[in-house]
Amino acid sequence: MAEQISASPLHSGADPEPIRFLDEDGRFAPSETAAEYAAELEGVTDDELRQWYVDMVATRTFDTECTHLQRQGQLALWVPSVGQEGCQVGIARAAEPQDHFFPAYREHAIARIRGVGFLQLAAQFRGLTHGGWDVTDPANGNFHLYTLVLGAQAQHATGHAIGQLLDAKRRAGTTDMEPGEPGTATDAASLTFYGDGTTSQGDANEAMIFAASYQAPVVFVVQNNRWAISVPVERQSRTPLYRRALGFGLRAVQIDGNDPLAAYAVGRRYLREARTGGGPGYIEALTYRIGAHTTSDDPTRYREDAELAAWQQRDPIERFERYLRDRGLIDDAFVERTAAEADAEAKRVRDAILNLPAPDADDMFAHVYSEPHPRIEEQRDWLARYEASFEEGTA
Ligand SMILES: Cc1ncc(C[n+]2csc(CCOP(=O)(O)OP(=O)(O)O)c2C)c(N)n1
Ligand SMILES: [Mg+2]
């Protein structure tokens, strides 16, 4: 029932139904609010729909493997995305190669779809990288670094989108670089992902102001998984989050975040509008964090079992599987093959990660500035002396 997944009990009566195509059991039963987005699904092929299912299963399997690796002491930390795969896959598949993604830290499905791949994610959480992957490498699909400073990525995405806009203006021969009216087509958009708790950060709000002033081609995707560690969304906002965005002058809607069809359809339209001069958009995806916040968290200390159980009933993978089966697009053999391939992919990451070399500690000083800097050199020397102090006879 739509009421049950409303973002805020304080306002459940007044809001339109979240946009969805699948009901909670995965039957094709679009909400009235979905009608105007239905055309976005027309070009999606059967093979693409099957691919989305593979994306979700592969991500969940890898994710579960990483939780095990952390428990075995092989990863420093893991941030599960279980339950949020539907929204992530739908939006990632809606984007074009030239779009840029500015994630938080839980967007594993998107990282894989864009080409960053699971091994690079696991390597970061094993402490084998100084911050992530090489964003300038085209193989990494314009998927920018995971950002643990809540809301910073909203600024990065908005700044990037302003750059995309100004580049387009320059290409069109315009010298007017002032904030402006909608209308400049940019060909590419920027997207940023963050959670319900992050909407309380100044950075996230300031980003919306700049996005609206410049009419920048940015799409904000808020995965409202109902919790910011142990703080429920009701405490963060007395109004549904998408309504805040409307107040900033953005196009904004609320979708069923466990329905990849809704995420794709709305994402596709919002991104196209952003790229064609329609200005910024904001998608509030109602979802749920099935697992712990991170492997350092124990959600049983602050969440009710009944709430978890209710959301497990709306699992995005099960719903989508039911839809694909109803349409005759997949069968038992496909489901089994997908599970086996996902296991094999997770195992490959597991085998590889245990053998990846640690980077040279010295590397962390190498890319701070483009030229040598005395303070950095001082720190580099200090670290070298500190490391040397552990060598025999020098302690
Ligand atoms: C600026 C800042 N403040 C606090 C934290 C600590 N912190 C890490 S995750 C988190 C909760 C974020 O919740 P939400 O935005 O809902 O995202 P979710 O983890 O649920 O996906 C907090 C408070 C941080 N990383 N950065
Ligand atoms: Mg949250």
Side-chain angles (χ1 to χ4, degrees), residues 280-297:
Y282 185 105
I283 301 170
E284 180 191 358
L286 300 176
T287 183
Y288 196 75
R289 194 193 78 216
I290 295 293
H293 171 71
T294 67
T295 46
S296 302
D297 170 50

Side-chain angles (χ1 to χ4, degrees), residues 196 225 227-228:
D196 43 289
N225 64 10
W227 292 90

Side-chain angles (χ1 to χ4, degrees), residues 92-286:
R93 289 289 173 195
E96 296 290 342
Q98 70 272 21
D99 296 330
H100 281 252
F101 285 72
F102 294 83
Y105 41 70
R106 215 185 278 289
E107 282 68 61
H108 312 320
I110 306 176
R112 179 177 178 278
I113 288 170
R114 296 302 285 190
V116 165
F118 288 154
L119 185 60
Q120 296 199 86
L121 295 185
Q124 180 167 13
F125 286 95
R126 192 171 161 83
L128 298 180
T129 76
H130 292 308
W133 35 93
D134 178 359
V135 175
T136 62
D137 182 343
N140 290 327
N142 298 335
F143 187 81
H144 292 254
L145 298 181
Y146 270 179
T147 304
L148 274 73
V149 180
L150 302 177
Q153 72 274 27
Q155 300 269 350
H156 302 156
T158 302
H160 192 268
I162 292 172
Q164 289 169 316
L165 180 68
L166 299 186
D167 279 351
K169 284 187 172 191
R170 257 184 223 111
R171 282 197 300 272
T174 318
T175 50
D176 165 24
M177 294 296 156
E178 292 300 310
E181 297 301 315
T184 305
T186 51
D187 184 46
S190 299
L191 297 100
T192 184
F193 290 76
Y194 52 91
D196 43 289
T198 302
T199 65
S200 298
Q201 290 288 135
D203 276 4
N205 290 274
E206 289 157 20
M208 284 196 282
I209 291 172
F210 273 91
S213 296
Y214 277 86
Q215 288 296 296
V218 56
V219 176
F220 298 84
V221 181
V222 173
Q223 293 172 82
N224 176 356
N225 64 10
R226 301 200 63 88
W227 292 90
I229 314 184
S230 58
V231 179
V233 65
E234 289 82 7
R235 192 140 335 134
Q236 305 277 355
S237 180
R238 307 292 286 181
T239 186
L241 301 172
Y242 83 98
R243 283 180 176 252
R244 286 183 169 172
L246 291 172
F248 283 93
L250 270 56
R251 290 170 292 126
V253 284
Q254 197 178 48
I255 67 167
D256 180 335
N258 287 4
D259 173 1
L261 295 175
Y264 177 89
V266 174
R268 186 129 190 104
R269 163 118 156 242
Y270 269 35
L271 282 165
R272 186 177 59 249
E273 287 174 351
R275 284 187 219 103
T276 53
Y282 185 105
I283 301 170
E284 180 191 358
L286 300 176

Side-chain angles (χ1 to χ4, degrees), residues 30-31 38-39 46 49 57-58 69-70 82-83 103 132 163 170 196 216-217 226 244 255-256 283-284 303 327 389 394:
S31 58
D46 294 349
L49 292 174
V57 173
L69 284 168
Q70 194 281 335
V82 175
R170 257 184 223 111
D196 43 289
R226 301 200 63 88
R244 286 183 169 172
I255 67 167
D256 180 335
I283 301 170
E284 180 191 358
R303 291 196 315 204
R327 285 195 50 191
S389 74
T394 56

